[in-house]
């Protein structure tokens, strides 16, 4: 049986986007009742792991300029970014950097006392604003602390949202499980902001937090909203072996080299000017090409890889600016980066795709907005530049909050609530999953699913492999895996894991479908069988809608304001 509670604004997710949205809405209206719902404790949200920086133009008088941040973002996206959205990001983010500072953010400083910035891949000017190499942790701490100043923000930590309730026209509430008790709730609301983050745990080799599964994307998809551009998955060039933990691009921003087994800085063959600081798609492809031509290393685990050399940076700078990287190298690879190169390989790191929104973060369902990595407002197109995601979270956390507050102020009260939909949801999750009689071990199935995506839709892709991947995912989905061995009510992580797996199946299918359909190479989507970008046929976004039989695919135009697509050279 469900219990009912009610708020004005629901925010699913307590990462940077969710917290920024909560503060803005609380600031706009102190009588608004705001619920921030998160399946993990606030400070365990994935955003705490952001390392290297938040992109912003702060010092136009010193050589940086707005135009170059906008153009770098659009060029980095391989011209699939909506150009008005890129412009909005770049114009808005400097204010957010100073706003964070006023809320207590301990930005690193230059010698002259001004906020420090470092170089990142694909930028014309060092614009990644940083706090050592723990930018996400400090941003989260600052935002959380600020949230606590408002009495009208209430946190529901360790609550797992299962579905969106709506009447086909507009949003009415969500259903959720309180993980600590196992109780099933319906949280009614007038507006919803989905800030449920990315879903990179669908890949077996990943930099993401274990909680980064596609539940938020899937609940929007099942509620009739399109998922957009899901074929564009970013592989960060430097995941440290064997764990895949991220070595921030800031390490190359501070001067790190990438070396092949001849000791060569091989990036000179692929991006003569930018070298190691070319955009991530280009560097990841270069690494995989070197490996294919036997110029890689074999790690002790048997995995092929390259070296990242930080020795010449020196221990003092490593300690001061890359302290977390130093610690990760020691603890997870047993390597002192001041003495030995690190072994790295491209690793799943970001999803350019997400819930289809317009420039203001509005989805196709009235009363629902999406912000942060869960959203696809098309700022990153086919390839995100590093440091542009935390920027996006801040800017669209604020924008969507303003939109939602406005909407709530003008909303009509609802007379009928569709209780039958809540009953159907209860049946779906308790009869279909909790009491399911699956024969297979769902953890093994999850490992297989993530392995399939890693094998079939990695840095380089081709038709036969993508189709095979799709077939394998569908076969796996049809096996009998809906099984929860733990029947406890309280803290049943076994149940939550199987719920996550359920959403992974639907979203994995969308990634593979989009990648099969896009017969060109653009940004992070590199097809061996279609090695060139094809603007005549594919300069558009991919939309995928849920259908009980088969997903429905559509096209959506790219907004081009003044930057004509040209060949990318770095
Ligand atoms: C290792 C690493 C380093 C990075 N470094 C940088 C960097 O330096 N600069 C940069 O710009 N970007 C960086 N990124 C990317 C950036 O960190 C993320 O894109 C960004 O933090 C995402 O924030 P978010 O608020 O959208 O979501 P997240 O921080 O992922 O939060 C998602 C929230 O949704 C909640 N949630 C999800 N599903 C449910 C559910 N079913 N029910 C209830 N709650 C749910 C979670 O509990 C969580 O609170 C990095 C990424 C990684 C992996």
């Amino acid at each position: 049986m469900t219990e009912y509670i009610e708020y004005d604004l629901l925010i699913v997710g307590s990462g940077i986007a969710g917290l920024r949205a909560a503060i803005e809405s609380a600031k706009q209206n102190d009588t608004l009742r705001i619920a921030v719902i998160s399946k993990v404790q606030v400070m365990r949200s994935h955003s705490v792991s952001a390392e290297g920086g938040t992109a912003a133009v702060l010092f136009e008088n010193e050589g940086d300029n707005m135009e170059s941040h906008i153009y770098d973002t659009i060029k980095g996206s391989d011209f699939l970014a909506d150009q008005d959205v890129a412009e909005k990001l770049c114009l808005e983010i400097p204010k957010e950097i100073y706003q964070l500072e006023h809320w207590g953010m301990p930005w690193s400083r230059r010698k002259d006392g001004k906020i420090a910035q470092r170089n990142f891949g694909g930028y014309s000017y060092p614009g990644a604003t940083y706090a050592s190499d723990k930018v996400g942790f400090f941003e989260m701490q600052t935002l959380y602390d600020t949230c606590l100043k408002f009495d009208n923000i209430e946190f529901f930590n360790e609550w797992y949202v299962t579905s969106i309730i709506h009447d086909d026209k507009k949003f009415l509430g969500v259903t959720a499980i309180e993980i600590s008790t196992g109780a099933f709730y319906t949280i009614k609301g007038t507006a919803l902001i989905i800030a449920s983050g990315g879903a990179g745990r669908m890949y077996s080799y990943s930099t993401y937090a274990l909680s980064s599964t596609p539940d938020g994307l899937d609940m929007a998809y099942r509620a009739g909203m399109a998922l957009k551009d899901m074929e564009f998955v970013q592989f960060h060039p430097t995941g440290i072996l064997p764990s895949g933990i991220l070595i921030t691009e800031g390490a190359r921003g501070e001067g790190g080299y990438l070396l092949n087994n001849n000791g060569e800085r091989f990036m000179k063959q692929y991006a003569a000017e930018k070298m190691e600081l070319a955009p991530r798609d280009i560097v990841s492809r270069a690494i995989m090409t070197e490996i294919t031509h036997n110029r890689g290393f074999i790690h002790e685990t048997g995995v092929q890889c390259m070296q990242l050399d930080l020795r010449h940076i020196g221990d003092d700078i490593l300690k001061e600016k890359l302290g977390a990287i130093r610690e990760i190298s020691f603890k997870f690879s047993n390597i002192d980066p001041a003495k030995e190169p690190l072994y790295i390989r491209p690793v799943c790191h970001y999803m350019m795709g997400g819930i289809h929104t317009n420039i203001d973060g509005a989805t196709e369902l009235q009363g629902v907005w999406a912000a942060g990595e869960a959203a696809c407002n098309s700022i990153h197109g086919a390839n995100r530049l590093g440091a542009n995601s935390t920027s996006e979270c801040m800017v669209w956390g604020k924008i969507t909050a303003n939109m939602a507050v406005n909407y709530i102020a003008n909303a009509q009260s609802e007379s009928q609530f569709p209780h039958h939909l809540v009953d159907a949801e209860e049946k779906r999750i308790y009869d279909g999953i909790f009491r399911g009689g699956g024969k297979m071990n769902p953890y093994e199935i999850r490992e297989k699913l993530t392995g399939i995506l890693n094998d079939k839709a990695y840095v380089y892709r081709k038709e036969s492999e993508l189709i095979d991947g799709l077939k394998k995912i569908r076969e796996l989905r049809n096996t009998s895996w809906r099984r929860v061995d733990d029947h406890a009510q309280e803290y049943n992580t076994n149940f939550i894991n199987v719920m996550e797996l359920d959403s992974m199946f639907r979203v994995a299918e969308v990634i593979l479908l989009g990648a099969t359909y896009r017969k060109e190479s653009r940004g992070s989507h590199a097809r061996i069988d279609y090695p060139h970008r094809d603007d005549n046929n594919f300069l558009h976004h991919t939309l995928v809608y849920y259908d009980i039989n088969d997903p429905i695919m559509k096209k959506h135009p790219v907004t081009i304001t003044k930057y004509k697509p040209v060949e990318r050279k770095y």
Side-chain angles (χ1 to χ4, degrees):
M1 278 295 288
T2 188
E3 294 187 45
Y4 285 89
I5 44 182
E6 188 163 357
Y7 284 79
D8 298 311
L9 172 63
L10 313 185
I11 299 173
V12 176
S14 62
I16 295 172
L19 296 185
R20 181 66 188 90
I23 296 169
E24 188 63 23
S25 39
K27 250 174 66 183
Q28 293 302 330
N29 181 344
D30 62 6
T31 63
L32 209 66
R33 291 160 309 144
I34 302 159
V36 180
I37 312 155
S38 168
K39 67 177 174 175
V40 296
Q41 295 289 338
V42 174
M43 287 303 287
R44 298 201 68 176
S45 293
H46 165 77
S47 285
V48 293
S49 57
E51 294 176 357
T54 298
V57 175
L58 297 185
F59 305 115
E60 291 214 66
N61 54 343
E62 293 182 12
D64 200 0
N65 64 79
M66 208 50 88
E67 185 71 15
S68 64
H69 189 188
I70 298 167
Y71 188 68
D72 290 344
T73 300
I74 292 167
K75 182 178 168 192
S77 81
D78 218 347
F79 295 91
L80 199 74
D82 281 355
Q83 299 186 358
D84 51 346
V85 183
E87 202 166 313
K88 192 159 201 155
L89 174 91
C90 303
L91 293 175
E92 294 301 319
I93 186 60
K95 289 176 245 167
E96 292 294 307
I97 299 286
Y98 292 118
Q99 176 64 80
L100 274 169
E101 159 137 301
H102 296 159
W103 285 333
M105 174 82 190
W107 295 117
S108 290
R109 296 277 160 185
R110 312 192 311 198
K111 287 207 169 61
D112 64 4
K114 291 189 177 160
I115 292 175
Q117 297 192 298
R118 60 162 52 118
N119 222 344
F120 249 57
Y123 289 92
S124 311
Y125 190 85
T129 321
Y130 64 94
S132 184
D133 54 357
K134 300 183 185 73
V135 76
F137 172 78
F138 288 120
E139 287 177 348
M140 283 290 290
Q141 198 186 43
T142 305
L143 291 170
Y144 186 30
D145 190 43
T146 307
C147 280
L148 297 179
K149 294 177 183 156
F150 294 93
D151 286 334
N152 57 333
I153 302 176
E154 205 168 317
F155 284 94
F156 292 76
N157 293 331
E158 299 184 328
W159 281 54
Y160 182 91
V161 177
T162 69
S163 273
I164 294 167
I165 304 295
H166 60 93
D167 62 4
D168 285 331
K169 286 197 300 289
K170 66 173 186 246
F171 171 73
L172 298 170
V174 300
T175 47
I177 300 162
E178 183 185 24
I179 299 175
S180 62
T181 62
F184 180 63
Y185 281 89
T186 300
I187 312 177
K188 292 183 179 179
T190 308
L192 168 69
I193 297 175
I194 307 175
S196 56
R201 276 288 153 186
M202 282 194 294
Y203 279 75
S204 55
Y205 192 56
S206 171
T207 59
Y208 282 79
L210 286 172
S211 56
S212 295
T213 50
D215 344 326
L217 303 183
D218 179 54
M219 67 183 81
Y221 182 52
R222 282 185 283 113
M225 290 164 251
L227 296 184
K228 182 166 52 177
D229 290 344
M230 290 297 293
E231 60 272 31
F232 297 106
V233 177
Q234 179 163 80
F235 296 92
H236 193 292
T238 58
I240 195 169
L241 287 167
S243 60
I245 295 175
L246 180 77
I247 300 299
T248 174
E249 196 161 279
R252 282 171 283 135
E254 297 296 341
Y257 299 150
L258 287 168
L259 302 178
N260 65 16
N261 65 14
N262 296 321
E264 286 164 351
R265 288 177 67 189
F266 58 88
M267 280 309 300
K268 64 175 181 273
Q269 323 277 2
Y270 305 90
E273 196 184 315
K274 289 257 172 222
M275 298 283 285
E276 283 86 356
L277 286 174
R280 292 171 179 177
D281 57 332
I282 292 176
V283 183
S284 287
R285 279 198 294 280
I287 291 176
M288 294 317 293
T289 306
E290 290 291 298
I291 286 176
T292 311
H293 290 95
N294 295 321
R295 292 193 288 270
F297 299 85
I298 311 268
H299 183 254
E300 61 194 29
T301 53
V303 175
Q304 302 206 61
C305 57
M306 303 306 271
Q307 284 186 335
L308 173 65
D309 193 353
L310 307 179
R311 288 174 295 183
H312 53 286
I313 294 177
D315 210 27
D316 288 346
I317 296 197
L318 289 177
K319 277 183 187 148
E320 184 198 331
K321 295 188 170 171
L322 296 167
I325 292 313
R326 201 171 159 269
E327 200 177 324
I328 288 165
S329 309
F330 274 112
K331 283 197 181 150
F332 295 94
S333 280
N334 206 16
I335 287 179
D336 177 350
K339 296 197 174 129
E340 278 177 77
L342 307 175
Y343 291 94
I344 52 85
R345 180 183 167 87
V347 58
C348 175
H349 181 67
Y350 188 82
M351 318 220 101
M352 272 67 75
I355 301 162
H356 170 42
T357 76
N358 69 7
I359 189 169
D360 293 325
T363 70
E364 294 159 291
L365 183 64
Q366 196 184 319
V368 180
W369 285 262
E373 194 172 335
C376 182
N377 58 24
S378 304
I379 172 142
H380 309 298
N383 176 63
R384 171 181 74 104
L385 290 191
N388 258 350
S389 170
T390 44
S391 304
E392 177 196 357
C393 290
M394 291 292 298
V395 170
W396 270 274
K398 179 178 174 186
I399 292 174
T400 53
N402 278 309
M403 295 286 153
V405 169
N406 227 351
Y407 172 79
I408 292 167
N410 298 306
Q412 309 288 324
S413 66
E414 205 49 46
S415 49
Q416 286 290 325
F417 189 86
H419 297 279
H420 66 283
L421 295 179
V422 174
D423 295 342
E425 175 63 358
E426 207 169 346
K427 215 165 148 29
R428 178 183 83 89
I429 60 179
Y430 288 97
D431 291 350
I433 294 176
F434 188 68
R435 288 185 275 272
K439 308 226 174 345
M440 315 285 287
N441 180 335
Y443 295 94
E444 274 173 35
I445 299 288
R446 188 167 169 155
E447 211 174 298
K448 284 195 176 136
L449 182 153
T450 60
I452 293 170
L453 279 183
N454 224 73
D455 289 349
K456 306 291 181 183
Y458 188 50
V459 174
Y460 279 112
R461 299 153 171 203
K462 67 176 178 199
E463 187 104 350
S464 54
E465 293 291 303
L466 292 167
I467 289 174
D468 190 45
L470 202 50
K471 183 167 155 264
K472 286 198 158 77
I473 291 283
R474 285 171 172 166
E475 278 167 8
L476 205 59
R477 184 178 61 192
N478 291 335
T479 61
S480 171
W481 54 268
R482 286 189 178 82
R483 174 179 130 198
V484 179
D485 290 335
D486 181 357
H487 289 115
Q489 291 293 314
E490 301 83 8
Y491 280 111
N492 193 334
T493 49
N494 184 200
F495 179 28
I496 298 299
N497 262 288
V498 185
M499 290 288 292
E500 289 172 347
L501 178 58
D502 181 55
S503 72
M504 286 162 94
F505 272 117
R506 273 179 295 275
V507 178
E509 184 180 43
V510 174
I511 293 175
L512 287 163
L513 270 176
T516 310
Y517 158 81
R518 189 172 281 278
K519 298 184 195 321
E520 66 159 351
S521 288
R522 184 187 296 272
S524 67
H525 175 67
R527 291 275 303 248
I528 293 170
D529 41 358
Y530 297 94
H532 302 294
R533 196 175 83 197
D534 177 359
D535 286 341
N536 288 332
N537 294 303
F538 290 100
L539 183 55
H540 60 74
H541 302 294
T542 313
L543 297 183
V544 182
Y545 289 88
Y546 177 69
D547 183 85
I548 190 92
N549 301 311
D550 262 324
I552 297 165
M553 302 191 66
K554 292 189 180 168
K555 296 177 188 176
H556 188 74
V558 176
T559 305
I560 295 187
T561 54
K562 57 180 181 185
Y563 306 98
K564 210 168 149 293
V566 291
E567 191 190 342
R568 280 164 89 213
K569 287 199 183 127
Y570 287 94

